[in-house]
Amino acid sequence: MANFTLHHLLLCLLLFAAPLVAFATSTPDDFLQCLSLHSGNASAISKLVYTPINSSYSSVLDITIENLRFLTPSAPKPNYIVTPLDVSHVQAAIICSQQYGLQMRTRSGGHDYEGLSYLSEVPFVILDMANLRSISVDVEDKTAWVQSGATVGELYYRIAEKSKTLGFPAGLCPTVGVGGHFSGGGYGTLLRKYGLAADNVIDAQLVDAQGRLLDRESMGEDLFWAIRGGGGGSFGVVVSWKVKLVPVPSTVTVFTILRTLEQNATKLVHQWQLVANKLPDDLFIRLILQSYNSGPNGTRTMQAIFQTLYLGGVDSLLEVTRSSFPELNVTRQDCTEMSWIESVVYFAGFPSGTPLEILLNRSSNTKTFFKNKSDYVREPIPESG
Ligand SMILES: Cc1cc2nc3c(=O)[nH]c(=O)nc-3n(C[C@H](O)[C@H](O)[C@H](O)COP(=O)(O)OP(=O)(O)OC[C@H]3O[C@@H](n4cnc5c(N)ncnc54)[C@H](O)[C@@H]3O)c2cc1C
């Protein structure tokens, strides 16, 4: 038994030590040569790889780091950033990272809460999908192929460019990347009616750890299930996704109602918990709670923000809110009718009249320091709570 354990220990040490030795004795040229050897477009590869000695290395690295906690000189930096233009570059990066003992981090939109797409404690390569962001929308078929490096804002924009009555159920923040978002779930204002982004994925192209390009059929249903919610980085690199588009009316209605504690916010929040999940599927009401300074001397209070998307016009919205959430006292003046794509811009927090092209802006100008954690409330919080 002791021999058996020792034997296995040595084997493990050898297996794990080998790549590190490969990296320690290799030079950047070796890695680049490996990439050229394994990619279909060898002449382009050197232009797609950034090392710390390149002048644009820092800007390429920093551009989609969303969390300012990790935008610091002391954050771990990659040995290489590879920005593939086609699938063969992705395959080459996977094969060569293994060969040279480098961990690979895949980054699409860079919105990971803990920076998992661009940080590592061991020598690593970032595979940055930003160049792989084509989107092709098929209105007849009500589907689209979208590459992982696209943002959800770009996807929404390209859909709306072709149809006023098709949309896609994904997140509110337009700069979130399709790659991380779809592989983790992805929820937004259409969630009540159409579920998560991942629920509406019907095919995908994935490069696995052996560098094989697989689609839904060749990867099999188990893996296809896993990449739609299990976090894509655990299973390979998803290059592109085929999604089912969903019908949206040509007119939707939005409102944002603010209520402080003094304006009965506690009771409204409590009531919201009881009704929000029972409203008709066309009605999404989200709640944001935040502290708020009221009055000139800055008295601190809490403010509840009820923000709504309704898939229909204002008249029927008022009927629904009067019967299902009368306490909120929604009035016609609170409501604005618009197109679905305008509601995307509204929920992204831009002022009314902002051109739709803002959705094509890939880098967020509201980067902050943050620590986020999501959870689900299964039991309503009592009013005293
Ligand atoms: C400001 C902000 C707003 C947000 N709003 C919403 C929202 O409204 N709704 C919602 O559901 N979520 C929201 N999120 C969370 C967001 O959906 C997730 O953080 C998501 O994983 C980000 O995807 P990304 O491609 O931008 O991130 P990345 O940091 O690029 O990647 C996230 C993870 O996915 C992996 N990954 C990325 N690309 C690929 C790929 N092509 N193949 C395999 N693995 C890959 C990465 O390695 C990493 O582990 C928000 C996050 C932020 C920071």
Side-chain angles (χ1 to χ4, degrees):
M1 183 68 182
N3 273 346
F4 177 83
T5 314
L6 186 64
H7 174 79
H8 276 80
L9 183 68
L10 282 173
L11 192 65
C12 285
L13 279 176
L14 276 175
L15 282 176
F16 285 107
L20 292 179
V21 172
F23 176 67
T25 56
S26 70
T27 67
D29 283 350
D30 294 337
F31 183 71
L32 284 178
Q33 268 175 21
C34 177
L35 289 176
S36 295
L37 190 71
H38 289 280
S39 81
N41 188 354
S43 60
I45 200 91
S46 64
K47 298 191 194 81
L48 306 176
V49 182
Y50 300 83
T51 67
I53 58 165
N54 294 127
S55 54
S56 37
Y57 170 86
S58 294
S59 56
V60 174
L61 176 62
D62 294 350
I63 188 153
T64 56
I65 293 184
E66 181 63 21
N67 194 336
L68 292 180
R69 273 165 62 215
F70 307 121
L71 200 53
T72 60
S74 59
K77 309 289 178 212
N79 297 57
Y80 305 95
I81 306 169
V82 180
T83 57
L85 283 177
D86 62 41
V87 171
S88 78
H89 299 150
V90 175
Q91 293 169 309
I94 291 177
I95 292 165
C96 299
S97 299
Q98 287 182 45
Q99 196 163 324
Y100 287 94
L102 293 158
Q103 192 176 68
M104 208 180 77
R105 293 303 211 184
T106 307
R107 179 167 76 172
S108 289
H111 279 50
D112 190 89
Y113 288 170
E114 294 301 320
L116 294 184
S117 56
Y118 51 82
L119 297 174
S120 174
E121 293 302 325
V122 297
F124 71 113
V125 177
I126 294 179
L127 183 69
D128 190 311
M129 304 292 283
N131 289 330
L132 289 173
R133 58 168 191 270
S134 75
I135 298 170
S136 72
V137 175
D138 185 337
V139 174
E140 293 279 287
D141 195 36
K142 299 191 175 64
T143 58
W145 271 103
V146 51
Q147 288 187 311
S148 281
T151 62
V152 295
E154 289 173 316
L155 175 61
Y156 298 148
Y157 182 89
R158 295 297 169 210
I159 295 169
E161 209 176 31
K162 290 214 166 163
S163 165
K164 303 295 168 231
T165 52
L166 288 173
F168 188 70
L172 277 67
C173 171
T175 50
V176 161
V178 159
H181 193 60
F182 289 12
S183 56
Y187 56 89
T189 57
L190 296 176
L191 135 143
R192 303 207 62 242
K193 187 152 189 173
Y194 297 115
L196 306 178
D199 295 326
N200 293 280
V201 170
I202 51 178
D203 202 346
Q205 287 197 314
L206 168 119
V207 180
D208 73 2
Q210 282 85 54
R212 293 174 302 190
L213 178 64
L214 306 172
D215 65 4
R216 178 174 185 169
E217 201 185 339
S218 53
M219 80 178 78
E221 286 302 304
D222 281 353
L223 183 50
F224 184 63
W225 175 82
I227 58 170
R228 290 171 299 149
S234 314
F235 305 103
V237 175
V238 184
V239 179
S240 57
W241 310 78
K242 185 177 186 184
V243 295
K244 198 168 62 186
L245 305 180
V246 300
V248 290
S250 52
T251 302
V252 304
T253 309
V254 300
F255 68 71
T256 301
I257 289 180
L258 316 171
R259 297 282 188 264
T260 59
L261 288 183
E262 294 71 26
Q263 294 165 326
N264 208 18
T266 308
K267 282 214 172 332
L268 288 173
V269 168
H270 186 64
Q271 186 61 19
W272 172 85
Q273 294 185 96
L274 305 178
V275 301
N277 62 333
K278 299 185 186 76
L279 297 168
D281 285 352
D282 285 336
L283 180 56
F284 165 83
I285 305 184
R286 74 165 175 162
L287 168 70
I288 301 165
L289 289 174
Q290 62 181 29
S291 70
Y292 174 73
N293 279 338
S294 74
N297 50 2
T299 321
R300 208 134 189 248
T301 182
M302 288 298 290
Q303 185 178 56
I305 304 172
F306 298 89
Q307 205 175 32
T308 289
L309 173 70
Y310 179 64
L311 298 175
V314 62
D315 292 335
S316 65
L317 169 61
L318 290 175
E319 270 173 39
V320 177
T321 52
R322 269 178 209 138
S323 66
S324 50
F325 196 4
E327 300 82 354
L328 192 57
N329 195 19
V330 183
T331 66
R332 189 170 289 272
Q333 290 68 41
D334 295 321
C335 301
T336 312
E337 288 187 337
M338 54 179 66
S339 63
W340 171 74
I341 193 69
E342 286 167 341
S343 80
V344 168
V345 174
Y346 176 86
F347 272 93
F350 296 107
S352 156
T354 303
L356 300 179
E357 283 64 34
I358 194 82
L359 299 174
L360 302 177
N361 194 349
R362 292 175 52 83
S363 177
S364 159
N365 50 12
T366 54
K367 295 183 182 195
T368 51
F369 292 88
F370 65 86
K371 176 84 186 168
N372 276 15
K373 195 144 177 60
S374 302
D375 203 351
Y376 294 89
V377 177
R378 292 169 194 279
E379 296 284 324
I381 300 167
E383 211 174 302
S384 58

